[in-house]
Amino acid sequence: MPYVNIRITREGATAEQKALLIKGATQLLVDVLGKNPATTVVVIDEVETDNWGIGGESVTTLRKRKS
Amino acid sequence: MPYVNIRITREGATAEQKALLIKGATQLLVDVLGKNPATTVVVIDEVETDNWGIGGESVTTLRKRKS
Amino acid sequence: MPYVNIRITREGATAEQKALLIKGATQLLVDVLGKNPATTVVVIDEVETDNWGIGGESVTTLRKRKS
Amino acid sequence: MPYVNIRITREGATAEQKALLIKGATQLLVDVLGKNPATTVVVIDEVETDNWGIGGESVTTLRKRKS
Amino acid sequence: MPYVNIRITREGATAEQKALLIKGATQLLVDVLGKNPATTVVVIDEVETDNWGIGGESVTTLRKRKS
Amino acid sequence: MPYVNIRITREGATAEQKALLIKGATQLLVDVLGKNPATTVVVIDEVETDNWGIGGESVTTLRKRKS
């Protein structure tokens, strides 16, 4: 019955990688708390780099400075 | 003043259906708790089927197996 | 498979009222989008009035002014 | 370490405006609670007007009525 | 930089179990997407069983029926 | 109409500080995007330090190491 929301920047995660996140997060709840995987929901939100900030700056700006 | 967030997979919900979700969720808060509809906010998030998992698998994978 | 999050101020909602919110939100998704109720999750968050703001003020402050 | 999620309707906010939201929300946490900006995360979600409801109606419908 | 929100019912998860969820979710993002663990945030919400519904009923009701 | 969710660790924020967060976040949306403060909602979640992780460890553990 758990609900897991994974929020990442939209920077090219593939369907295969997202499937691994879903599988891994579900298994984590099974392993640690004995939750039922059948009713464990995982939702991945991919967020534009303009819309994600850390340290007071957008990831778009941070990526530009580093490159 | 309530805030309702409805998260569904993006599989073709129409503007009319989304209007019904907004209307119905708002009315539910009025009916059950006497909340003021004028300040009741409903936000619908439509999530790609690759990004929604249940039972450790993405909805994309589940849909393929069933078809 | 939908996930519905209802956020309200903590002001004495009873277990019966919360059961009605769960039942009503689940039925709404069934009626409007034909979703499967068995995997529809509803989570209610009750938030202290000090922690909920509207119009730039906490609900605690708003309630005091009205009384 | 705080996490701030700002949800607005998708109605043309520019990258510059979103950078100001990130900067301002981060600074608010620094000023009020002395939080470390380096680990303060701000995520902005822009939501289609069909998907945002207030007063039981979508913002799309509200905007049409006003115009 | 990812943000992971794990929502479970409040049914006695220990600090040790919650530490394992934090460690495991962080490692998952490192392994699958190469994310930096130093800025990966995990937040666990424990929700009263009266406030969590599945299948149109609260977990409180579901637990009673099974016992 | 914006919705702002501020999530912080529960470490003694006062009602006055939370009122400042509500006021400041609301004003930020007014200043940057011209939003209507009357329908701007701010919700603050205070999370136990056992339930908040960064760098793969709970804040409880991080605080102990530093002290």
Side-chain angles (χ1 to χ4, degrees):
Chain A
M1 222 156 16
Y3 171 80
V4 181
N5 184 211
I6 299 174
R7 312 202 87 187
I8 54 175
T9 43
R10 187 184 296 280
E11 298 180 274
T14 65
E16 286 69 25
Q17 289 173 318
K18 292 188 281 191
L20 288 172
L21 290 178
I22 289 168
K23 189 180 174 185
T26 303
Q27 193 59 43
L28 183 67
L29 273 294
V30 173
D31 290 346
V32 175
L33 293 174
K35 294 292 185 183
N36 179 4
T39 53
T40 296
V41 173
V42 181
V43 177
I44 301 165
D45 294 322
E46 295 175 278
V47 177
E48 302 302 322
T49 56
D50 277 354
N51 291 19
W52 193 296
I54 187 161
E57 290 187 304
S58 76
V59 174
T60 304
T61 299
L62 292 169
R63 294 278 186 267
K64 275 184 194 159
R65 188 175 308 144
K66 286 197 178 172
S67 66
Chain B
M1 221 156 16
Y3 171 79
V4 181
N5 183 212
I6 299 174
R7 312 202 87 187
I8 54 176
T9 43
R10 187 184 295 280
E11 298 181 275
T14 64
E16 286 70 24
Q17 288 173 319
K18 292 188 281 192
L20 288 172
L21 291 178
I22 288 167
K23 189 180 174 185
T26 304
Q27 194 58 44
L28 183 66
L29 273 294
V30 173
D31 291 346
V32 176
L33 294 175
K35 294 294 184 183
N36 179 6
T39 53
T40 296
V41 173
V42 181
V43 176
I44 301 166
D45 294 322
E46 296 175 277
V47 176
E48 302 302 322
T49 56
D50 277 355
N51 291 17
W52 192 296
I54 187 161
E57 291 188 303
S58 76
V59 174
T60 304
T61 299
L62 292 168
R63 294 278 187 266
K64 275 184 194 158
R65 187 176 309 145
K66 287 196 175 171
S67 67
Chain C
M1 221 156 17
Y3 171 79
V4 180
N5 183 213
I6 300 174
R7 312 202 87 187
I8 55 176
T9 44
R10 187 183 297 279
E11 298 181 275
T14 65
E16 286 70 25
Q17 289 173 318
K18 292 188 281 192
L20 288 172
L21 290 178
I22 289 167
K23 189 180 174 184
T26 303
Q27 193 59 43
L28 182 66
L29 273 293
V30 173
D31 291 347
V32 176
L33 292 175
K35 294 293 184 183
N36 179 5
T39 52
T40 296
V41 173
V42 180
V43 176
I44 301 166
D45 295 321
E46 296 175 276
V47 176
E48 303 302 322
T49 56
D50 277 355
N51 291 18
W52 193 295
I54 187 161
E57 289 187 304
S58 77
V59 174
T60 305
T61 299
L62 292 168
R63 294 277 186 268
K64 275 183 193 159
R65 187 176 308 145
K66 286 197 175 171
S67 66
Chain D
M1 220 156 16
Y3 170 80
V4 180
N5 183 212
I6 299 174
R7 312 201 87 186
I8 54 176
T9 44
R10 187 185 296 280
E11 298 181 274
T14 64
E16 285 70 26
Q17 288 173 318
K18 292 188 281 192
L20 287 172
L21 290 178
I22 288 168
K23 188 180 175 184
T26 303
Q27 192 60 41
L28 182 66
L29 273 295
V30 172
D31 290 346
V32 175
L33 293 175
K35 294 293 185 183
N36 179 4
T39 53
T40 296
V41 173
V42 180
V43 176
I44 301 165
D45 294 322
E46 295 175 276
V47 176
E48 302 301 321
T49 56
D50 277 354
N51 290 18
W52 193 295
I54 187 162
E57 290 187 304
S58 76
V59 174
T60 305
T61 299
L62 292 169
R63 293 277 187 268
K64 276 182 193 159
R65 188 176 306 144
K66 287 198 175 169
S67 65
Chain E
M1 221 157 15
Y3 171 80
V4 180
N5 183 212
I6 299 174
R7 311 201 87 186
I8 54 175
T9 44
R10 187 184 297 279
E11 298 181 276
T14 64
E16 285 70 25
Q17 289 173 317
K18 292 187 281 192
L20 288 172
L21 291 177
I22 288 167
K23 189 179 174 185
T26 303
Q27 192 60 43
L28 183 66
L29 273 294
V30 172
D31 290 347
V32 176
L33 293 175
K35 294 293 184 182
N36 179 5
T39 53
T40 296
V41 173
V42 180
V43 176
I44 301 165
D45 294 322
E46 295 175 277
V47 176
E48 302 302 321
T49 56
D50 277 355
N51 290 18
W52 193 294
I54 186 162
E57 290 188 304
S58 76
V59 174
T60 304
T61 299
L62 292 169
R63 294 277 186 267
K64 276 183 192 158
R65 187 176 307 144
K66 287 198 176 170
S67 66
Chain F
M1 222 156 17
Y3 171 79
V4 180
N5 184 211
I6 299 174
R7 311 202 87 187
I8 53 176
T9 44
R10 188 184 295 279
E11 297 181 275
T14 65
E16 286 69 26
Q17 289 173 318
K18 292 187 280 192
L20 288 172
L21 291 178
I22 289 167
K23 188 179 175 185
T26 304
Q27 193 59 42
L28 182 67
L29 273 294
V30 172
D31 290 346
V32 175
L33 292 174
K35 295 292 184 183
N36 179 4
T39 54
T40 296
V41 173
V42 181
V43 176
I44 301 165
D45 295 322
E46 295 175 277
V47 177
E48 302 302 322
T49 55
D50 277 355
N51 291 17
W52 193 296
I54 187 162
E57 289 187 305
S58 76
V59 174
T60 305
T61 299
L62 291 169
R63 294 278 187 266
K64 275 184 194 158
R65 187 174 308 145
K66 286 196 178 171
S67 66

